[in-house]
Amino acid sequence: MTKETGVWQPVANNKVQVLTTRSGEQMVVSERIYQRNGLSLTATEETFNGNTYPLGPEGLTLKRQVDGADSRQQ
């Protein structure tokens, strides 16, 4: 497992920018823009040390895990 360190900040309606400054023990400069859709965030590309790369045909999706009490929050 790799621990990433950085900043999450809103950039537009239903979008969040994730800037990563450290991945494991390595200093990096990485940016992903995630689009929110319900309980999921999806990014389609990543800019890593100045170069932009696609994140696969469906992008990278983060899904919020919810239990009964949290399922009402969207």
Side-chain angles (χ1 to χ4, degrees):
M1 176 158 62
T2 300
K3 179 179 177 181
E4 293 185 348
T5 304
V7 177
W8 291 59
Q9 59 188 6
V11 292
N13 197 20
N14 288 323
K15 290 188 179 183
V16 64
Q17 175 188 46
V18 178
L19 297 172
T20 302
T21 56
R22 181 178 292 275
S23 181
E25 296 298 318
Q26 184 178 22
M27 297 294 290
V28 299
V29 178
S30 168
E31 177 192 51
R32 295 180 190 145
I33 304 291
Y34 287 89
Q35 174 73 41
R36 180 176 181 243
N37 184 8
L39 298 176
S40 297
L41 295 171
T42 301
T44 57
E45 62 185 25
E46 175 176 25
T47 301
F48 187 84
N49 290 338
N51 298 306
T52 301
Y53 303 96
L55 293 173
E58 296 180 23
L60 174 64
T61 299
L62 307 175
K63 295 183 180 184
R64 180 175 176 193
Q65 294 183 349
V66 297
D67 59 23
D70 288 337
S71 63
R72 294 184 306 269
Q73 299 176 4
Q74 292 192 22

Short mmCIF file of all heavy atoms in Angstrom, two decimals:
data_model
loop_
_atom_site.label_atom_id
_atom_site.label_comp_id
_atom_site.label_asym_id
_atom_site.label_seq_id
_atom_site.Cartn_x
_atom_site.Cartn_y
_atom_site.Cartn_z
N MET A 1 0.84 -1.17 0.00
CA MET A 1 0.00 0.00 0.00
C MET A 1 0.90 1.24 0.00
O MET A 1 1.90 1.29 0.70
CB MET A 1 -0.91 0.01 1.22
CG MET A 1 -1.71 1.26 1.28
SD MET A 1 -3.24 1.29 2.21
CE MET A 1 -2.88 0.99 3.85
N THR A 2 0.52 2.24 -0.80
CA THR A 2 1.27 3.49 -0.88
C THR A 2 0.46 4.62 -0.26
O THR A 2 -0.71 4.79 -0.59
CB THR A 2 1.58 3.85 -2.35
OG1 THR A 2 2.35 2.80 -2.92
CG2 THR A 2 2.34 5.14 -2.43
N LYS A 3 1.07 5.36 0.62
CA LYS A 3 0.41 6.50 1.24
C LYS A 3 0.73 7.75 0.42
O LYS A 3 1.89 8.03 0.14
CB LYS A 3 0.90 6.69 2.68
CG LYS A 3 0.26 7.87 3.37
CD LYS A 3 0.77 8.00 4.78
CE LYS A 3 0.19 9.22 5.45
NZ LYS A 3 0.70 9.38 6.81
N GLU A 4 -0.32 8.49 0.01
CA GLU A 4 -0.15 9.74 -0.72
C GLU A 4 -0.53 10.90 0.18
O GLU A 4 -1.48 10.80 0.95
CB GLU A 4 -1.01 9.75 -1.98
CG GLU A 4 -0.57 8.75 -3.01
CD GLU A 4 -1.34 8.85 -4.30
OE1 GLU A 4 -2.38 9.54 -4.35
OE2 GLU A 4 -0.91 8.24 -5.29
N THR A 5 0.22 12.00 0.08
CA THR A 5 -0.04 13.19 0.88
C THR A 5 -0.29 14.35 -0.06
O THR A 5 0.39 14.50 -1.08
CB THR A 5 1.17 13.51 1.77
OG1 THR A 5 1.46 12.36 2.57
CG2 THR A 5 0.91 14.70 2.67
N GLY A 6 -1.28 15.18 0.26
CA GLY A 6 -1.57 16.33 -0.58
C GLY A 6 -2.77 17.11 -0.09
O GLY A 6 -3.12 17.06 1.08
N VAL A 7 -3.42 17.80 -1.03
CA VAL A 7 -4.52 18.70 -0.71
C VAL A 7 -5.72 18.40 -1.60
O VAL A 7 -5.57 18.20 -2.80
CB VAL A 7 -4.08 20.17 -0.93
CG1 VAL A 7 -5.22 21.13 -0.67
CG2 VAL A 7 -2.89 20.51 -0.08
N TRP A 8 -6.91 18.39 -1.00
CA TRP A 8 -8.17 18.30 -1.74
C TRP A 8 -8.85 19.65 -1.65
O TRP A 8 -8.96 20.21 -0.56
CB TRP A 8 -9.08 17.26 -1.11
CG TRP A 8 -8.63 15.84 -1.23
CD1 TRP A 8 -7.46 15.31 -0.78
CD2 TRP A 8 -9.35 14.78 -1.84
NE1 TRP A 8 -7.41 13.98 -1.07
CE2 TRP A 8 -8.56 13.62 -1.72
CE3 TRP A 8 -10.58 14.69 -2.48
CZ2 TRP A 8 -8.97 12.39 -2.21
CZ3 TRP A 8 -10.98 13.46 -2.96
CH2 TRP A 8 -10.18 12.33 -2.83
N GLN A 9 -9.32 20.18 -2.79
CA GLN A 9 -10.03 21.46 -2.75
C GLN A 9 -11.07 21.52 -3.87
O GLN A 9 -10.84 21.01 -4.96
CB GLN A 9 -9.06 22.62 -2.87
CG GLN A 9 -8.23 22.64 -4.13
CD GLN A 9 -7.15 23.70 -4.09
OE1 GLN A 9 -6.94 24.36 -3.07
NE2 GLN A 9 -6.45 23.88 -5.18
N PRO A 10 -12.23 22.15 -3.59
CA PRO A 10 -13.25 22.29 -4.63
C PRO A 10 -12.77 23.27 -5.70
O PRO A 10 -12.14 24.28 -5.37
CB PRO A 10 -14.47 22.83 -3.88
CG PRO A 10 -13.92 23.44 -2.64
CD PRO A 10 -12.65 22.73 -2.32
N VAL A 11 -13.07 22.97 -6.97
CA VAL A 11 -12.68 23.87 -8.06
C VAL A 11 -13.88 24.31 -8.90
O VAL A 11 -13.78 25.27 -9.64
CB VAL A 11 -11.60 23.25 -8.98
CG1 VAL A 11 -10.29 23.11 -8.23
CG2 VAL A 11 -12.05 21.93 -9.56
N ALA A 12 -14.99 23.61 -8.81
CA ALA A 12 -16.20 23.95 -9.55
C ALA A 12 -17.34 23.14 -8.94
O ALA A 12 -17.12 22.29 -8.08
CB ALA A 12 -16.05 23.62 -11.03
N ASN A 13 -18.55 23.41 -9.41
CA ASN A 13 -19.71 22.66 -8.93
C ASN A 13 -19.51 21.18 -9.22
O ASN A 13 -19.31 20.79 -10.36
CB ASN A 13 -20.97 23.19 -9.62
CG ASN A 13 -22.22 22.77 -8.88
OD1 ASN A 13 -22.19 22.43 -7.71
ND2 ASN A 13 -23.33 22.81 -9.58
N ASN A 14 -19.53 20.35 -8.19
CA ASN A 14 -19.36 18.90 -8.29
C ASN A 14 -17.98 18.46 -8.78
O ASN A 14 -17.83 17.35 -9.31
CB ASN A 14 -20.45 18.26 -9.15
CG ASN A 14 -21.78 18.26 -8.43
OD1 ASN A 14 -21.85 18.06 -7.23
ND2 ASN A 14 -22.85 18.50 -9.17
N LYS A 15 -16.96 19.31 -8.65
CA LYS A 15 -15.60 18.93 -9.02
C LYS A 15 -14.64 19.25 -7.87
O LYS A 15 -14.80 20.24 -7.17
CB LYS A 15 -15.13 19.67 -10.27
CG LYS A 15 -15.83 19.21 -11.53
CD LYS A 15 -15.20 19.82 -12.75
CE LYS A 15 -15.90 19.31 -13.99
NZ LYS A 15 -15.28 19.83 -15.21
N VAL A 16 -13.65 18.38 -7.71
CA VAL A 16 -12.64 18.59 -6.68
C VAL A 16 -11.26 18.32 -7.29
O VAL A 16 -11.09 17.41 -8.08
CB VAL A 16 -12.89 17.69 -5.44
CG1 VAL A 16 -12.78 16.22 -5.77
CG2 VAL A 16 -11.97 18.04 -4.31
N GLN A 17 -10.31 19.17 -6.94
CA GLN A 17 -8.93 19.03 -7.40
C GLN A 17 -8.13 18.36 -6.28
O GLN A 17 -8.22 18.74 -5.13
CB GLN A 17 -8.34 20.40 -7.70
CG GLN A 17 -6.88 20.38 -8.07
CD GLN A 17 -6.31 21.78 -8.15
OE1 GLN A 17 -6.54 22.61 -7.28
NE2 GLN A 17 -5.57 22.05 -9.21
N VAL A 18 -7.36 17.34 -6.67
CA VAL A 18 -6.49 16.66 -5.71
C VAL A 18 -5.06 16.88 -6.15
O VAL A 18 -4.66 16.46 -7.24
CB VAL A 18 -6.81 15.15 -5.65
CG1 VAL A 18 -5.86 14.45 -4.69
CG2 VAL A 18 -8.25 14.93 -5.23
N LEU A 19 -4.29 17.58 -5.31
CA LEU A 19 -2.87 17.81 -5.57
C LEU A 19 -2.08 16.92 -4.62
O LEU A 19 -2.22 17.02 -3.41
CB LEU A 19 -2.51 19.28 -5.32
CG LEU A 19 -3.19 20.31 -6.21
CD1 LEU A 19 -2.89 21.72 -5.72
CD2 LEU A 19 -2.74 20.13 -7.64
N THR A 20 -1.27 16.04 -5.18
CA THR A 20 -0.44 15.15 -4.39
C THR A 20 0.99 15.66 -4.41
O THR A 20 1.51 16.00 -5.47
CB THR A 20 -0.50 13.71 -4.95
OG1 THR A 20 -1.86 13.28 -4.95
CG2 THR A 20 0.33 12.76 -4.12
N THR A 21 1.58 15.75 -3.23
CA THR A 21 2.95 16.24 -3.12
C THR A 21 3.95 15.16 -2.70
O THR A 21 5.14 15.34 -2.83
CB THR A 21 3.03 17.41 -2.12
OG1 THR A 21 2.50 16.97 -0.87
CG2 THR A 21 2.24 18.61 -2.62
N ARG A 22 3.43 14.06 -2.20
CA ARG A 22 4.30 12.97 -1.78
C ARG A 22 3.57 11.65 -2.01
O ARG A 22 2.41 11.51 -1.67
CB ARG A 22 4.67 13.10 -0.30
CG ARG A 22 5.60 12.01 0.19
CD ARG A 22 5.99 12.19 1.65
NE ARG A 22 6.83 13.35 1.86
CZ ARG A 22 8.15 13.37 1.71
NH1 ARG A 22 8.77 12.29 1.34
NH2 ARG A 22 8.84 14.46 1.93
N SER A 23 4.28 10.70 -2.62
CA SER A 23 3.75 9.36 -2.83
C SER A 23 4.76 8.39 -2.24
O SER A 23 5.87 8.25 -2.75
CB SER A 23 3.54 9.08 -4.32
OG SER A 23 3.01 7.79 -4.51
N GLY A 24 4.38 7.78 -1.14
CA GLY A 24 5.33 6.96 -0.40
C GLY A 24 6.43 7.86 0.14
O GLY A 24 6.16 8.86 0.79
N GLU A 25 7.67 7.56 -0.17
CA GLU A 25 8.81 8.37 0.27
C GLU A 25 9.26 9.36 -0.79
O GLU A 25 10.19 10.13 -0.57
CB GLU A 25 9.98 7.45 0.66
CG GLU A 25 9.68 6.55 1.84
CD GLU A 25 9.38 7.34 3.10
OE1 GLU A 25 10.08 8.34 3.38
OE2 GLU A 25 8.42 6.97 3.81
N GLN A 26 8.60 9.37 -1.96
CA GLN A 26 9.04 10.18 -3.09
C GLN A 26 8.25 11.49 -3.17
O GLN A 26 7.03 11.51 -3.05
CB GLN A 26 8.84 9.39 -4.38
CG GLN A 26 9.33 10.07 -5.62
CD GLN A 26 9.14 9.18 -6.84
OE1 GLN A 26 8.32 8.27 -6.86
NE2 GLN A 26 9.91 9.45 -7.87
N MET A 27 8.96 12.60 -3.39
CA MET A 27 8.32 13.89 -3.64
C MET A 27 7.81 13.89 -5.08
O MET A 27 8.56 13.53 -5.99
CB MET A 27 9.29 15.04 -3.42
CG MET A 27 9.80 15.16 -2.00
SD MET A 27 8.52 15.60 -0.82
CE MET A 27 8.19 17.27 -1.28
N VAL A 28 6.55 14.27 -5.28
CA VAL A 28 5.96 14.31 -6.62
C VAL A 28 5.08 15.56 -6.74
O VAL A 28 4.76 16.20 -5.75
CB VAL A 28 5.10 13.06 -6.92
CG1 VAL A 28 5.92 11.80 -6.88
CG2 VAL A 28 3.93 12.97 -5.97
N VAL A 29 4.71 15.88 -7.96
CA VAL A 29 3.70 16.90 -8.21
C VAL A 29 2.67 16.23 -9.11
O VAL A 29 2.94 15.93 -10.27
CB VAL A 29 4.29 18.14 -8.90
CG1 VAL A 29 3.19 19.14 -9.19
CG2 VAL A 29 5.37 18.77 -8.04
N SER A 30 1.50 15.97 -8.56
CA SER A 30 0.45 15.25 -9.27
C SER A 30 -0.87 16.00 -9.09
O SER A 30 -1.16 16.49 -8.00
CB SER A 30 0.34 13.83 -8.71
OG SER A 30 -0.83 13.20 -9.18
N GLU A 31 -1.66 16.05 -10.16
CA GLU A 31 -2.97 16.69 -10.09
C GLU A 31 -4.01 15.80 -10.77
O GLU A 31 -3.78 15.31 -11.87
CB GLU A 31 -2.97 18.04 -10.78
CG GLU A 31 -4.35 18.68 -10.79
CD GLU A 31 -4.45 19.88 -11.72
OE1 GLU A 31 -4.07 19.74 -12.90
OE2 GLU A 31 -4.91 20.92 -11.26
N ARG A 32 -5.13 15.61 -10.09
CA ARG A 32 -6.29 14.94 -10.66
C ARG A 32 -7.50 15.82 -10.38
O ARG A 32 -7.63 16.38 -9.29
CB ARG A 32 -6.54 13.58 -10.02
CG ARG A 32 -5.48 12.56 -10.27
CD ARG A 32 -5.83 11.25 -9.58
NE ARG A 32 -4.70 10.34 -9.61
CZ ARG A 32 -4.41 9.49 -8.63
NH1 ARG A 32 -5.16 9.42 -7.56
NH2 ARG A 32 -3.36 8.70 -8.74
N ILE A 33 -8.38 15.95 -11.37
CA ILE A 33 -9.66 16.64 -11.19
C ILE A 33 -10.74 15.56 -11.19
O ILE A 33 -10.93 14.85 -12.19
CB ILE A 33 -9.94 17.67 -12.31
CG1 ILE A 33 -8.81 18.69 -12.42
CG2 ILE A 33 -11.30 18.34 -12.07
CD1 ILE A 33 -8.70 19.65 -11.26
N TYR A 34 -11.44 15.42 -10.07
CA TYR A 34 -12.50 14.43 -9.94
C TYR A 34 -13.86 15.09 -10.14
O TYR A 34 -14.10 16.19 -9.64
CB TYR A 34 -12.48 13.80 -8.54
CG TYR A 34 -11.35 12.84 -8.31
CD1 TYR A 34 -10.13 13.29 -7.82
CD2 TYR A 34 -11.49 11.49 -8.57
CE1 TYR A 34 -9.09 12.41 -7.59
CE2 TYR A 34 -10.45 10.60 -8.34
CZ TYR A 34 -9.26 11.07 -7.85
OH TYR A 34 -8.22 10.21 -7.63
N GLN A 35 -14.74 14.40 -10.85
CA GLN A 35 -16.13 14.82 -11.04
C GLN A 35 -16.98 13.98 -10.09
O GLN A 35 -16.86 12.75 -10.06
CB GLN A 35 -16.56 14.57 -12.49
CG GLN A 35 -18.02 14.83 -12.77
CD GLN A 35 -18.37 16.30 -12.78
OE1 GLN A 35 -17.62 17.12 -13.30
NE2 GLN A 35 -19.49 16.65 -12.19
N ARG A 36 -17.85 14.64 -9.32
CA ARG A 36 -18.72 13.93 -8.39
C ARG A 36 -19.99 13.49 -9.10
O ARG A 36 -20.59 14.24 -9.86
CB ARG A 36 -19.11 14.83 -7.21
CG ARG A 36 -20.01 14.13 -6.22
CD ARG A 36 -20.28 15.02 -5.02
NE ARG A 36 -21.12 14.33 -4.09
CZ ARG A 36 -22.34 14.71 -3.75
NH1 ARG A 36 -22.85 15.80 -4.27
NH2 ARG A 36 -23.04 14.02 -2.90
N ASN A 37 -20.37 12.23 -8.85
CA ASN A 37 -21.62 11.68 -9.35
C ASN A 37 -22.20 10.83 -8.23
O ASN A 37 -21.76 9.69 -8.02
CB ASN A 37 -21.39 10.86 -10.62
CG ASN A 37 -22.69 10.35 -11.22
OD1 ASN A 37 -23.77 10.72 -10.78
ND2 ASN A 37 -22.58 9.49 -12.22
N GLY A 38 -23.15 11.38 -7.49
CA GLY A 38 -23.70 10.68 -6.34
C GLY A 38 -22.64 10.48 -5.27
O GLY A 38 -22.03 11.44 -4.80
N LEU A 39 -22.37 9.22 -4.93
CA LEU A 39 -21.38 8.90 -3.90
C LEU A 39 -20.03 8.53 -4.49
O LEU A 39 -19.17 7.99 -3.81
CB LEU A 39 -21.89 7.75 -3.02
CG LEU A 39 -23.17 8.04 -2.24
CD1 LEU A 39 -23.63 6.81 -1.48
CD2 LEU A 39 -22.98 9.21 -1.29
N SER A 40 -19.83 8.83 -5.78
CA SER A 40 -18.58 8.49 -6.46
C SER A 40 -17.86 9.73 -6.97
O SER A 40 -18.49 10.73 -7.31
CB SER A 40 -18.85 7.58 -7.67
OG SER A 40 -19.41 6.37 -7.26
N LEU A 41 -16.53 9.65 -7.01
CA LEU A 41 -15.68 10.67 -7.64
C LEU A 41 -14.89 9.97 -8.73
O LEU A 41 -14.31 8.91 -8.50
CB LEU A 41 -14.70 11.25 -6.62
CG LEU A 41 -15.28 12.04 -5.46
CD1 LEU A 41 -14.19 12.36 -4.44
CD2 LEU A 41 -15.91 13.33 -5.96
N THR A 42 -14.86 10.55 -9.94
CA THR A 42 -14.14 9.94 -11.06
C THR A 42 -13.21 10.94 -11.71
O THR A 42 -13.61 12.07 -12.01
CB THR A 42 -15.11 9.38 -12.12
OG1 THR A 42 -15.96 8.42 -11.50
CG2 THR A 42 -14.37 8.72 -13.27
N ALA A 43 -11.96 10.53 -11.93
CA ALA A 43 -10.97 11.32 -12.67
C ALA A 43 -10.61 10.53 -13.93
O ALA A 43 -10.47 9.31 -13.89
CB ALA A 43 -9.73 11.55 -11.83
N THR A 44 -10.45 11.22 -15.05
CA THR A 44 -10.13 10.55 -16.31
C THR A 44 -8.67 10.71 -16.71
O THR A 44 -8.20 10.00 -17.59
CB THR A 44 -11.03 11.06 -17.45
OG1 THR A 44 -10.86 12.47 -17.56
CG2 THR A 44 -12.49 10.73 -17.18
N GLU A 45 -7.97 11.66 -16.07
CA GLU A 45 -6.56 11.85 -16.38
C GLU A 45 -5.83 12.39 -15.17
O GLU A 45 -6.43 12.89 -14.23
CB GLU A 45 -6.35 12.78 -17.58
CG GLU A 45 -6.87 14.18 -17.37
CD GLU A 45 -6.75 15.05 -18.63
OE1 GLU A 45 -6.72 14.50 -19.74
OE2 GLU A 45 -6.69 16.27 -18.47
N GLU A 46 -4.50 12.26 -15.22
CA GLU A 46 -3.64 12.75 -14.14
C GLU A 46 -2.46 13.48 -14.76
O GLU A 46 -1.87 12.99 -15.72
CB GLU A 46 -3.14 11.58 -13.30
CG GLU A 46 -2.15 11.99 -12.22
CD GLU A 46 -1.73 10.82 -11.34
OE1 GLU A 46 -1.79 9.66 -11.78
OE2 GLU A 46 -1.34 11.10 -10.20
N THR A 47 -2.14 14.64 -14.20
CA THR A 47 -0.93 15.34 -14.60
C THR A 47 0.11 15.04 -13.54
O THR A 47 -0.08 15.35 -12.37
CB THR A 47 -1.18 16.85 -14.74
OG1 THR A 47 -2.21 17.05 -15.72
CG2 THR A 47 0.08 17.58 -15.18
N PHE A 48 1.20 14.39 -13.96
CA PHE A 48 2.22 13.91 -13.05
C PHE A 48 3.56 14.48 -13.47
O PHE A 48 4.03 14.19 -14.58
CB PHE A 48 2.25 12.37 -13.07
CG PHE A 48 3.15 11.75 -12.05
CD1 PHE A 48 2.71 11.53 -10.77
CD2 PHE A 48 4.44 11.40 -12.38
CE1 PHE A 48 3.54 10.95 -9.82
CE2 PHE A 48 5.29 10.82 -11.45
CZ PHE A 48 4.83 10.60 -10.16
N ASN A 49 4.15 15.31 -12.61
CA ASN A 49 5.44 15.96 -12.90
C ASN A 49 5.44 16.63 -14.27
O ASN A 49 6.40 16.52 -15.03
CB ASN A 49 6.59 14.97 -12.76
CG ASN A 49 6.84 14.59 -11.31
OD1 ASN A 49 6.46 15.31 -10.39
ND2 ASN A 49 7.46 13.46 -11.08
N GLY A 50 4.31 17.29 -14.61
CA GLY A 50 4.22 18.06 -15.85
C GLY A 50 3.72 17.32 -17.06
O GLY A 50 3.46 17.93 -18.10
N ASN A 51 3.55 16.01 -16.99
CA ASN A 51 3.05 15.22 -18.11
C ASN A 51 1.65 14.69 -17.78
O ASN A 51 1.42 14.21 -16.67
CB ASN A 51 3.98 14.04 -18.40
CG ASN A 51 5.36 14.50 -18.81
OD1 ASN A 51 5.52 15.28 -19.73
ND2 ASN A 51 6.37 14.03 -18.09
N THR A 52 0.73 14.75 -18.77
CA THR A 52 -0.64 14.31 -18.55
C THR A 52 -0.84 12.91 -19.13
O THR A 52 -0.44 12.64 -20.27
CB THR A 52 -1.64 15.29 -19.18
OG1 THR A 52 -1.43 16.58 -18.57
CG2 THR A 52 -3.07 14.87 -18.93
N TYR A 53 -1.47 12.04 -18.31
CA TYR A 53 -1.68 10.65 -18.69
C TYR A 53 -3.15 10.28 -18.49
O TYR A 53 -3.76 10.70 -17.50
CB TYR A 53 -0.84 9.72 -17.80
CG TYR A 53 0.63 10.00 -17.84
CD1 TYR A 53 1.23 10.80 -16.86
CD2 TYR A 53 1.43 9.50 -18.86
CE1 TYR A 53 2.59 11.07 -16.90
CE2 TYR A 53 2.80 9.76 -18.90
CZ TYR A 53 3.36 10.55 -17.91
OH TYR A 53 4.70 10.82 -17.96
N PRO A 54 -3.72 9.48 -19.40
CA PRO A 54 -5.09 8.99 -19.19
C PRO A 54 -5.11 7.95 -18.06
O PRO A 54 -4.12 7.24 -17.85
CB PRO A 54 -5.45 8.35 -20.53
CG PRO A 54 -4.15 7.98 -21.15
CD PRO A 54 -3.15 8.99 -20.64
N LEU A 55 -6.22 7.88 -17.36
CA LEU A 55 -6.37 6.91 -16.27
C LEU A 55 -7.26 5.74 -16.69
O LEU A 55 -8.13 5.30 -15.95
CB LEU A 55 -6.94 7.60 -15.03
CG LEU A 55 -6.01 8.62 -14.37
CD1 LEU A 55 -6.73 9.36 -13.26
CD2 LEU A 55 -4.75 7.96 -13.85
N GLY A 56 -7.05 5.26 -17.90
CA GLY A 56 -7.79 4.10 -18.40
C GLY A 56 -9.09 4.49 -19.04
O GLY A 56 -9.54 5.63 -18.96
N PRO A 57 -9.73 3.53 -19.72
CA PRO A 57 -10.95 3.83 -20.47
C PRO A 57 -12.11 4.32 -19.60
O PRO A 57 -12.96 5.08 -20.06
CB PRO A 57 -11.29 2.51 -21.16
CG PRO A 57 -10.48 1.47 -20.49
CD PRO A 57 -9.32 2.15 -19.83
N GLU A 58 -12.16 3.91 -18.34
CA GLU A 58 -13.24 4.35 -17.45
C GLU A 58 -12.75 5.31 -16.38
O GLU A 58 -13.52 5.72 -15.51
CB GLU A 58 -13.91 3.13 -16.82
CG GLU A 58 -14.59 2.24 -17.86
CD GLU A 58 -15.25 1.03 -17.26
OE1 GLU A 58 -15.58 1.07 -16.05
OE2 GLU A 58 -15.43 0.06 -17.98
N GLY A 59 -11.48 5.66 -16.41
CA GLY A 59 -10.92 6.56 -15.41
C GLY A 59 -10.69 5.86 -14.09
O GLY A 59 -10.77 4.64 -13.97
N LEU A 60 -10.42 6.66 -13.07
CA LEU A 60 -10.22 6.18 -11.71
C LEU A 60 -11.40 6.65 -10.87
O LEU A 60 -11.67 7.85 -10.79
CB LEU A 60 -8.91 6.76 -11.13
CG LEU A 60 -8.63 6.47 -9.67
CD1 LEU A 60 -8.44 4.97 -9.43
CD2 LEU A 60 -7.41 7.24 -9.21
N THR A 61 -12.12 5.72 -10.26
CA THR A 61 -13.31 6.05 -9.49
C THR A 61 -13.11 5.71 -8.03
O THR A 61 -12.68 4.60 -7.70
CB THR A 61 -14.55 5.31 -10.03
OG1 THR A 61 -14.77 5.72 -11.39
CG2 THR A 61 -15.79 5.64 -9.21
N LEU A 62 -13.41 6.68 -7.17
CA LEU A 62 -13.42 6.49 -5.72
C LEU A 62 -14.87 6.44 -5.29
O LEU A 62 -15.67 7.31 -5.68
CB LEU A 62 -12.71 7.65 -5.02
CG LEU A 62 -11.30 7.98 -5.50
CD1 LEU A 62 -10.79 9.23 -4.78
CD2 LEU A 62 -10.37 6.81 -5.26
N LYS A 63 -15.24 5.43 -4.50
CA LYS A 63 -16.62 5.30 -4.06
C LYS A 63 -16.69 5.39 -2.55
O LYS A 63 -15.91 4.75 -1.85
CB LYS A 63 -17.21 3.96 -4.52
CG LYS A 63 -17.32 3.86 -6.02
CD LYS A 63 -17.95 2.57 -6.43
CE LYS A 63 -18.05 2.53 -7.94
NZ LYS A 63 -18.74 1.33 -8.41
N ARG A 64 -17.62 6.20 -2.07
CA ARG A 64 -17.82 6.34 -0.63
C ARG A 64 -18.54 5.11 -0.11
O ARG A 64 -19.57 4.70 -0.66
CB ARG A 64 -18.64 7.59 -0.34
CG ARG A 64 -18.87 7.78 1.13
CD ARG A 64 -19.58 9.08 1.41
NE ARG A 64 -19.86 9.18 2.82
CZ ARG A 64 -20.66 10.06 3.35
NH1 ARG A 64 -21.26 10.94 2.57
NH2 ARG A 64 -20.86 10.08 4.64
N GLN A 65 -18.00 4.53 0.93
CA GLN A 65 -18.67 3.41 1.57
C GLN A 65 -19.61 3.97 2.61
O GLN A 65 -19.22 4.83 3.41
CB GLN A 65 -17.65 2.48 2.22
CG GLN A 65 -16.77 1.79 1.23
CD GLN A 65 -15.80 0.83 1.90
OE1 GLN A 65 -15.65 0.81 3.12
NE2 GLN A 65 -15.17 0.02 1.09
N VAL A 66 -20.85 3.51 2.59
CA VAL A 66 -21.85 4.02 3.52
C VAL A 66 -22.50 2.88 4.27
O VAL A 66 -22.59 1.76 3.78
CB VAL A 66 -22.93 4.85 2.79
CG1 VAL A 66 -22.33 6.08 2.15
CG2 VAL A 66 -23.66 4.03 1.78
N ASP A 67 -22.96 3.22 5.48
CA ASP A 67 -23.80 2.29 6.20
C ASP A 67 -25.21 2.90 6.22
O ASP A 67 -25.44 3.94 5.60
CB ASP A 67 -23.27 2.03 7.61
CG ASP A 67 -23.17 3.28 8.47
OD1 ASP A 67 -23.87 4.27 8.18
OD2 ASP A 67 -22.39 3.28 9.44
N GLY A 68 -26.13 2.34 6.91
CA GLY A 68 -27.51 2.81 6.91
C GLY A 68 -27.65 4.27 7.30
O GLY A 68 -28.41 5.02 6.71
N ALA A 69 -26.90 4.73 8.31
CA ALA A 69 -27.02 6.11 8.78
C ALA A 69 -26.47 7.10 7.77
O ALA A 69 -26.99 8.21 7.62
CB ALA A 69 -26.29 6.28 10.11
N ASP A 70 -25.40 6.75 7.05
CA ASP A 70 -24.79 7.66 6.09
C ASP A 70 -25.44 7.67 4.72
O ASP A 70 -25.19 8.54 3.92
CB ASP A 70 -23.30 7.32 5.89
CG ASP A 70 -22.47 7.69 7.09
OD1 ASP A 70 -22.90 8.57 7.86
OD2 ASP A 70 -21.38 7.12 7.25
N SER A 71 -26.29 6.71 4.41
CA SER A 71 -26.81 6.58 3.06
C SER A 71 -27.71 7.73 2.67
O SER A 71 -27.94 7.95 1.49
CB SER A 71 -27.55 5.24 2.91
OG SER A 71 -28.67 5.21 3.76
N ARG A 72 -28.23 8.50 3.62
CA ARG A 72 -29.08 9.66 3.31
C ARG A 72 -28.25 10.86 2.85
O ARG A 72 -28.75 11.76 2.22
CB ARG A 72 -29.90 10.04 4.53
CG ARG A 72 -30.90 8.99 4.93
CD ARG A 72 -31.75 9.47 6.10
NE ARG A 72 -30.92 9.90 7.24
CZ ARG A 72 -30.53 9.11 8.23
NH1 ARG A 72 -30.87 7.85 8.24
NH2 ARG A 72 -29.81 9.59 9.21
N GLN A 73 -26.96 10.90 3.19
CA GLN A 73 -26.09 12.04 2.83
C GLN A 73 -25.51 11.83 1.45
O GLN A 73 -24.83 10.86 1.21
CB GLN A 73 -24.95 12.18 3.84
CG GLN A 73 -25.43 12.44 5.24
CD GLN A 73 -24.28 12.46 6.22
OE1 GLN A 73 -23.13 12.35 5.83
NE2 GLN A 73 -24.58 12.62 7.48
N GLN A 74 -25.79 12.78 0.55
CA GLN A 74 -25.23 12.69 -0.80
C GLN A 74 -24.69 13.98 -1.21
O GLN A 74 -25.01 14.96 -1.39
CB GLN A 74 -26.26 12.18 -1.79
CG GLN A 74 -26.60 10.74 -1.51
CD GLN A 74 -27.40 10.13 -2.67
OE1 GLN A 74 -27.37 10.60 -3.80
NE2 GLN A 74 -28.13 9.10 -2.36
#
